[in-house]
Amino acid sequence: MSVNIYARMRESVLAGLRGIVPDLPEAIAARVDAGPTREAEHGDVATNAALVAAKAARMPPAKLAAALAAALAADPDIAAAEPAGPGFVNIRLRPAALHAELPSILRAGEAYGESRAGAMRRVNVEYVSANPTGPMHIGHCRGAVVGDALANLLAKAGYRVIREFYINDAGAQVAALAWAAYWRYLQALDSPLDEAAFDAATPGGLQYRGDYLIEVGAALARKHGATLAAPGLGIADPALWFDTVRETAVAMMMAAIREDLAALGVVHDVFTSERALLAAGAVDAAIERLAGADLIYEGVLEPPKGKLPEDWEPRPQTLFRSTRFGDDVDRPLRKSDGSNTYFANDIACHADKMARGAEIMIDVWGADHGGYVPRMQAVVKALAPDGGAKLEVVLCQIVHILKGGEPVRMSKRAGTFVTLRDLLDEVGRDVVRFIMLTRKSDAQMEFDLDAVLAQTRENPVFYVQYAHARCRSVLRLAAEQLGAEAVAPERLAEAPLGALTDAGELGLIRRLAGFPRLVDAAAEAREPHRIAFFLYDLAADFHTLWNRGRDDAALRFLQAEDPEGTRARLALVAATAVVIRSGLSVMGVTPVEEMR
RNA sequence: GCGCCCUUAGCUCAGUCGGAUAGAGCAACAGCCUUCUAAGCUGUCGGUCGGUGGUUCGAAUCCACCAGGGCGCGCCA
């Protein structure tokens, strides 16, 4: 397997630098970069080596750059190297060095861009984790896509990834679900009870009124007849029915959520039940561990500053000393009635992930949970004092759904909310996934149902897909003219590439060659959206080259009178398609073969 | 009151551990189809990177303070 051209240049730069500065500290070497230039006149590759190493070398940057440039001239891949600006070294590659990237891409196929940057570290990415109280709605969508793409990205960058869904099946929400399902059960049995009366009899009131629970009620009635209801079909003692109804309802809701996830193309490796963790005593065990480290105490919190809750009164609670790890206040683990807070359960959840070997835990949350981050990170620090595990949180800001510029209202209360399924039916899975990755996750985004279906350059989904379709179109035509064998990747990988001399062609190769370092940088930053922007830029390069074939016949890909040049350009086109597919696969988007 | 996130062209947004003259799309204007899909391409116009200081060879990027927007702040999850 040949090495990426930028990675190779970095090695060459480091070797040259070590020749000049024999005792180069590792920390400095790690900061040396060799990457694509922004300006064509700066050559193909620029390195900051002289700038970062000047101090260690006890030389002015410009002088060190000159010495490094002289040393690099010996590299056979380098046509010219010269010091520039405050201390850069600009490198112009021999075309053959760039050309070599194409067979490398063609042989790797969609594996192109994979790296070992993650060093096989174990990463647990937890995302979606919707309450099992109903089908997925649009609010879950962004986190699902971002989490899934991030997991793909980390896997590509050489991490061992576990994709986890944490089922919140133990809290008050699930109790409310059970009551709501019980209401539908009574209805299925033609109970004389009316909704208002049931609402009044339900602890906390009837919370879930959506139609999707009718099916749950019907299933309960089929399976249990009237045995869960009181004589006269009123509300029986919850001890008789509550667990049964809750289990059935949660199971059916989880089945619905899994179907929704499958429709979105999201697959998890592990589904962890909060209830099961509780039953196994995981919460108490985790609290014991913290108590053993003297991080738990009984105390009374200061009232929050500013707006005071109306019913505030100081009460003793079981508290975790999160302030020792940088949080603002200590956080309660048990409510004043002695039951556990959600925080306590979440501690058990993360302790469980660590016990299963996670070195890096990445939770994808809605931005409204932002205030929760410091306490959770504090707990992980407390549970892994040696730094053997850490928690990172990716926050996803809200997505505003628009239709023709007008906001689409969501009303969860009446059960008329916009579901994920509605969205998928409206615009399709690939569009949803791509658009969700066209913003940094912590920036708010607007999702216009009309705009994302437009077939213009301003719609990045279309624009990237169109570039891929054009690549495939050229290759189809070539297969007709030259035979399928001639355009097979392994054959194109052997093609002589000397004909690729045009600046646009070489620029496209430079772009393609930048993909591996883009993958590494995006994985490092936990920012899958960078893939989308890269593909957009790549598509622009390709569309430009395509159109230049109109003005300059020498740049047309297929030319009967120039078989060798044609093969070279087909290799470029095929490699472009490969990189687009490779990027799309990280995003979980299916490439299209042709536009219709 | 406190904490976190955000502020880049008229609009929507990129900006690769601090790097060279801050980049795209839209909008506006001017061009390109006997030729691999014009669903595309090319060019022009457009910026005190919210403000003020600081750190250094160098700041949109790091730090401090200020202004504006969003989210959150015990017994919800």
Side-chain angles (χ1 to χ4, degrees):
Chain A
M1 174 181 158
S2 58
V3 180
N4 176 262
I5 183 64
Y6 294 115
R8 200 156 76 232
M9 282 299 112
R10 181 168 182 274
E11 290 309 311
S12 187
V13 164
L14 276 176
L17 189 59
R18 288 203 168 97
I20 302 163
V21 192
D23 55 345
L24 186 72
E26 266 315 301
I28 300 290
R31 291 177 55 206
V32 169
D33 188 31
T37 54
R38 199 164 25 183
E39 307 284 337
E41 62 221 59
H42 294 153
D44 299 304
V45 184
T47 179
N48 62 351
L51 288 161
V52 300
K55 209 163 274 179
R58 294 195 206 94
M59 288 168 77
K63 194 176 166 197
L64 181 55
L68 181 58
L72 288 171
D75 188 314
D77 284 340
I78 294 177
E82 52 190 31
F88 292 100
V89 177
N90 291 334
I91 297 168
R92 203 169 69 249
L93 296 167
R94 294 188 193 284
L98 277 171
H99 293 162
E101 199 70 22
L102 294 184
S104 177
I105 293 168
L106 292 168
R107 294 202 172 98
E110 286 181 40
Y112 183 68
E114 286 177 1
S115 83
R116 290 194 279 262
M120 292 306 277
R121 273 176 293 172
R122 294 164 172 273
V123 184
N124 179 298
V125 186
E126 181 197 318
Y127 52 103
V128 187
S129 296
N131 289 337
T133 52
M136 290 179 65
H137 56 83
I138 286 176
H140 298 119
C141 179
R142 188 175 195 178
V145 173
V146 167
D148 197 55
L150 177 58
N152 292 344
L153 176 61
L154 292 170
K156 195 172 184 73
Y159 292 83
R160 264 186 290 182
V161 180
I162 296 288
R163 302 138 186 275
E164 180 141 347
F165 187 120
Y166 182 59
I167 309 171
N168 296 119
D169 54 1
Q173 299 304 312
V174 169
L177 173 76
W179 279 89
Y182 189 66
W183 162 240
R184 294 301 190 179
Y185 164 72
L186 293 181
Q187 279 194 310
L189 296 174
D190 291 324
S191 160
L193 206 59
D194 69 21
E195 185 166 329
F198 188 89
D199 182 29
T202 301
L206 181 55
Q207 290 188 37
Y208 298 102
R209 299 173 191 246
D211 290 346
Y212 59 88
L213 287 175
I214 291 174
E215 206 180 313
V216 178
L220 286 165
R222 276 197 303 277
K223 186 167 178 193
H224 300 283
T227 59
L228 301 178
L233 298 179
I235 302 171
D237 180 353
L240 179 72
W241 58 265
F242 186 83
D243 285 350
T244 304
V245 171
R246 188 203 63 226
E247 275 168 33
T248 300
V250 167
M252 290 182 71
M253 292 304 103
M254 280 307 299
I257 286 171
R258 284 183 194 236
E259 274 179 37
D260 288 347
L261 288 171
L264 187 59
V266 171
V267 178
H268 289 82
D269 301 310
V270 177
F271 287 78
T272 300
S273 158
E274 180 183 15
R275 176 169 295 278
L277 279 178
L278 290 176
V283 177
D284 292 335
I287 292 178
E288 282 294 308
R289 280 179 61 192
L290 295 173
D294 191 28
L295 293 170
I296 305 288
Y297 67 103
E298 297 295 321
V300 180
L301 285 175
E302 294 286 310
K305 298 282 194 294
K307 205 173 123 190
L308 199 63
E310 284 177 19
D311 58 347
W312 169 267
E313 54 180 279
R315 285 176 187 163
Q317 294 178 284
T318 302
L319 300 168
F320 164 64
R321 294 187 194 278
S322 51
T323 47
R324 286 215 187 148
F325 304 91
D327 201 359
D328 301 326
V329 292
D330 293 336
R331 303 294 179 174
L333 297 172
R334 294 206 173 95
K335 306 172 193 173
S336 48
D337 68 2
S339 64
N340 291 329
T341 59
Y342 180 80
F343 178 47
N345 293 357
D346 234 5
I347 292 173
C349 166
H350 287 81
D352 180 53
K353 290 179 191 171
M354 289 161 68
R356 282 184 275 132
E359 297 167 79
I360 301 171
M361 293 175 279
I362 303 179
D363 289 0
V364 180
W365 293 346
D368 54 343
H369 289 57
Y372 203 73
V373 176
R375 79 187 69 172
M376 216 51 243
Q377 288 179 325
V379 154
V380 171
K381 281 183 205 155
L383 291 173
D386 58 347
K390 64 171 181 166
L391 170 68
E392 301 172 20
V393 178
V394 173
L395 295 179
C396 291
Q397 278 285 358
I398 196 159
V399 177
H400 296 288
I401 303 291
L402 306 178
K403 193 168 174 71
E406 293 296 312
V408 174
R409 292 262 165 242
M410 292 189 282
S411 170
K412 193 175 176 183
R413 180 179 298 175
T416 59
F417 57 96
V418 180
T419 63
L420 173 63
R421 198 55 76 93
D422 292 338
L423 182 63
L424 291 172
D425 290 346
E426 183 89 12
V427 301
R429 160 185 147 182
D430 288 325
V431 168
V432 169
R433 293 190 61 118
F434 199 111
I435 295 293
M436 288 293 163
L437 294 169
T438 55
R439 292 281 182 277
K440 274 187 300 223
S441 64
D442 59 2
Q444 287 184 30
M445 83 183 289
E446 297 192 339
F447 188 121
D448 193 306
L449 297 175
D450 295 333
V452 300
L453 292 177
Q455 300 196 328
T456 68
R457 177 165 188 166
E458 51 186 315
N459 178 2
V461 192
F462 163 76
Y463 191 68
V464 170
Q465 292 283 29
Y466 188 30
H468 183 261
R470 276 182 156 173
C471 290
R472 301 302 299 172
S473 163
V474 171
L475 293 167
R476 271 196 306 273
L477 211 60
E480 283 174 24
Q481 295 174 5
L482 309 172
E485 176 64 16
V487 300
E490 57 271 21
R491 288 292 305 283
L492 291 176
E494 294 160 1
L497 299 171
L500 300 178
T501 55
D502 175 76
E505 294 168 339
L506 295 176
L508 181 55
I509 298 175
R510 266 203 304 274
R511 176 80 70 187
L512 297 173
F515 185 61
R517 65 200 313 278
L518 182 276
V519 168
D520 279 349
E524 173 79 24
R526 322 297 192 218
E527 292 184 342
H529 76 277
R530 293 192 194 185
I531 302 287
F533 283 94
F534 173 85
L535 291 181
Y536 186 82
D537 290 341
L538 171 57
D541 288 347
F542 182 77
H543 287 308
T544 295
L545 191 58
W546 173 287
N547 275 276
R548 284 190 56 207
R550 298 177 173 280
D551 304 328
D552 181 356
L555 288 171
R556 291 175 59 79
F557 300 124
L558 302 177
Q559 296 181 52
E561 67 283 7
D562 177 18
E564 180 168 321
T566 297
R567 284 187 74 201
R569 285 182 294 271
L570 284 174
L572 178 58
V573 171
T576 301
V578 163
V579 173
I580 292 175
R581 281 203 300 277
S582 180
L584 287 178
S585 81
V586 171
M587 299 172 72
V589 174
T590 315
V592 301
E593 295 294 312
E594 56 184 331
M595 308 301 290
R596 278 292 168 212

